[in-house]
């Protein structure tokens, strides 16, 4: 993103604004929606309903499901380490 900002002469603040309005694929909500409960107004035309606050009570459940999925795939290839004894070099 920083490379594009410098190449295209776009203000960094606009790039960060669009980044915070971009939804996270697994959750379906953007960081601004999770923090402020609505989209931030940007240069891209947005429907006025998206700028009003909405309750997103399902966000914690979506985050938990995403974390559980990541844990499942990580645990498939992880191994338990042998126990260490006092004085043993590590």
């Amino acid at each position: 993103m920083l490379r594009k900002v410098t190449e295209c002469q776009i203000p960094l603040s606009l790039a960060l604004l669009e980044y915070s309005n971009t939804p996270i694929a697994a959750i379906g909500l953007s960081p601004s929606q999770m923090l402020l409960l609505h989209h931030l107004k940007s240069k891209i035309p947005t429907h006025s309903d998206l700028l009003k606050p909405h309750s997103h009570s399902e966000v914690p459940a979506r985050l938990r499901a995403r974390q559980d999925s990541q844990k499942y795939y990580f645990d498939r290839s992880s191994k338990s380490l042998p126990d260490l004894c006092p004085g043993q070099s590590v």
Side-chain angles (χ1 to χ4, degrees), residues 7-55:
E7 289 173 0
C8 299
Q9 302 296 319
I10 299 171
L12 180 61
S13 59
L14 287 178
L16 292 174
L17 176 66
E18 292 306 324
Y19 178 76
S20 67
N21 274 337
T22 304
I24 298 170
I27 301 171
L29 297 171
S30 67
S32 65
Q33 284 178 298
M34 290 187 288
L35 180 65
L36 304 170
L37 303 178
H38 62 87
H39 283 282
L40 300 174
K41 190 170 184 178
S42 66
K43 296 219 179 227
I44 297 176
T46 306
H47 194 274
S48 60
D49 286 345
L50 293 174
L51 299 175
K52 296 177 184 173
H54 298 285
S55 174

Side-chain angles (χ1 to χ4, degrees), residues 60-76:
R62 288 183 185 179
L63 286 173
R64 173 53 72 191
R66 181 179 178 201
Q67 290 171 347
D68 290 343
S69 174
Q70 290 173 344
K71 181 181 180 342
Y72 169 75
Y73 287 109
F74 176 80
D75 288 346
R76 286 192 323 179

